[in-house]
């Protein structure tokens, strides 16, 4: 079985020099304090006054249940609890195919990159990436301001196609720029991308890359990146999608990597980055994630 990208997403150390030149300094990780934050914030754990709002608690409980929230496994409830308590999204590798100018082409300087629907290429090509529809919504939260919505920030998102290939880089699609785009957060700190469900390739759990910038005007400015991270997709949705026609290579590759063996999410099983997902193959899927920066 072949591996599409033998050096793909080898972890933060692989492109640390690039990241350090483009990001703000990271805070000290909370260590034991993180566990305390989880106990205080997770619905159903009796954390007391530090718990999230009643609305957030109700939504999280309805999604996964209090029992799931108390579990150490990666669930959307735990992800939400960490985000709402102010734990910042983990910094992750850009990977070798970001297309942001740090490793070759820079799609961020191209006219047309600001768009909600990222399924098609723009510019000299209108080729459309085929696959099961996926709607991705991110809610940006300002950690320095009590997790208030980070209105006006911008997100650049990109991911592989159904065959695990990346536009701008992989053979045969070097002149395509589909599955890449930029959106601005609204007053609620939210932004949405319409895309397709990404494929699975050996060595990685199915994921979506993203960078958070201070504003739309800073999306191509060095030093203005607030966060670089990745969204992990759920096992249930992956199994359903990869059982369909067109995702044959993903069906073969997906069983080879787990969340805990993934070289990006494996350190914590994706607990901070696992999306809340719903939908079906016939109707398309939705994925949502709170992103504290």
């Amino acid at each position: 079985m072949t591996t599409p990208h033998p050096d793909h997403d080898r972890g933060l150390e692989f492109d640390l020099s690039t990241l350090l030149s483009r990001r703000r300094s990271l805070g000290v990780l909370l260590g034991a304090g993180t566990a305390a934050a989880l106990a205080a914030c997770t619905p159903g754990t009796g954390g007391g006054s530090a718990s999230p709002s009643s609305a957030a608690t109700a939504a999280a409980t309805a999604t996964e249940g209090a029992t799931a929230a108390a579990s150490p496994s990666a669930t959307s409830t735990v992800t939400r609890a960490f985000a709402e308590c102010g734990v910042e999204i983990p910094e992750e590798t850009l990977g070798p195919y970001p297309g942001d100018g740090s490793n070759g082409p820079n799609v961020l300087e191209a006219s047309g990159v600001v768009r909600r629907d990222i399924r098609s290429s723009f510019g000299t090509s209108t080729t459309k990436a085929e696959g099961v529809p996926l709607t991705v919504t991110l809610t940006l939260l300002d950690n320095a301001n009590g997790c208030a919505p980070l209105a006006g920030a911008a997100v650049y998102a990109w991911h592989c196609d159904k065959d695990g290939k990346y536009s701008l880089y992989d053979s045969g699609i070097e002149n395509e720029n589909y599955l890449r785009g930029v959106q601005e957060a609204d007053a609620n700190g939210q932004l949405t991308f319409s895309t397709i469900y990404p494929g699975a390739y050996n060595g990685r759990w199915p994921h979506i890359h993203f960078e958070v910038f201070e504003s739309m005007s800073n999306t191509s400015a060095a030093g203005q990146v607030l966060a670089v991270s990745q969204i992990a997709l759920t096992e249930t949705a992956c199994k359903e999608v990869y059982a369909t026609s067109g995702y044959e290579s993903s069906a073969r590759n997906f069983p080879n990597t787990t969340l805990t063996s993934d070289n990006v999410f494996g350190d914590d099983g994706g607990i901070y980055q696992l999306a809340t997902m719903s939908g079906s193959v016939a109707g398309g899927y939705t994925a949502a994630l709170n992103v504290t920066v």
Side-chain angles (χ1 to χ4, degrees):
M1 188 175 300
T2 59
T3 301
H5 306 300
D7 64 344
H8 204 294
D9 294 359
R10 297 192 304 190
L12 186 59
E13 185 176 357
F14 179 71
D15 54 5
L16 184 59
S17 59
T18 298
L19 297 179
L20 289 177
S21 67
R22 306 184 69 240
R23 303 177 189 171
R24 60 179 172 79
S25 298
L26 300 178
V28 177
L29 295 178
L30 297 181
T34 300
L38 176 58
C41 300
T42 305
T45 59
S49 61
S51 62
S53 67
S54 58
T57 301
T61 302
T63 302
E64 297 290 339
T67 302
S71 168
S73 63
T75 67
S76 57
T77 301
V78 176
T79 302
R80 164 172 278 173
F82 267 111
E84 290 172 348
C85 285
V87 176
E88 295 187 5
I89 193 79
E91 293 281 323
E92 304 291 7
T93 176
L94 283 164
Y97 310 120
D100 64 353
S102 62
N103 183 26
N106 189 356
V107 74
L108 297 178
E109 295 181 343
S111 176
V113 71
V114 180
R115 64 223 182 105
R116 171 178 172 140
D117 191 335
I118 64 174
R119 291 173 294 178
S120 298
S121 288
F122 60 92
T124 60
S125 173
T126 57
T127 301
K128 184 178 181 180
E130 299 297 332
V132 173
L134 174 65
T135 300
V136 179
T137 298
L138 299 181
T139 301
L140 307 182
L141 305 173
D142 186 356
N143 192 43
N145 191 28
C147 285
L150 195 60
V155 168
Y156 166 45
W158 71 98
H159 62 83
C160 68
D161 63 17
K162 61 183 178 61
D163 297 315
K165 307 294 185 180
Y166 284 82
S167 66
L168 296 177
Y169 294 92
D170 273 304
S171 177
I173 56 175
E174 302 96 326
N175 295 322
E176 304 293 347
N177 52 27
Y178 51 60
L179 308 182
R180 300 175 183 273
V182 174
Q183 280 284 280
E184 182 179 25
D186 62 16
N188 296 315
Q190 290 190 325
L191 50 90
T192 298
F193 292 97
S194 297
T195 186
I196 64 163
Y197 208 97
Y201 50 86
N202 283 324
R204 285 305 319 275
W205 182 265
H207 61 282
I208 297 171
H209 295 263
F210 67 93
E211 291 182 275
V212 182
F213 294 85
E214 289 183 350
S215 67
M216 290 289 287
S217 61
N218 289 329
T219 54
S220 60
Q224 301 301 321
V225 181
L226 298 180
V228 179
S229 197
Q230 299 179 26
I231 306 167
L233 305 179
T234 63
E235 181 178 8
T236 298
C238 288
K239 287 182 175 179
E240 293 170 351
V241 171
Y242 299 157
T244 64
S245 176
Y247 283 90
E248 288 80 7
S249 64
S250 295
R252 293 190 299 270
N253 295 332
F254 179 64
N256 299 331
T257 307
T258 66
L259 265 172
T260 53
S261 67
D262 181 81
N263 59 18
V264 170
F265 303 125
D267 56 347
D268 56 16
I271 196 170
Y272 309 102
Q273 296 147 287
L274 192 69
T276 299
M277 298 193 66
S278 62
S280 66
V281 169
Y285 288 83
T286 64
L289 184 69
N290 286 351
V291 178
T292 300
V293 298

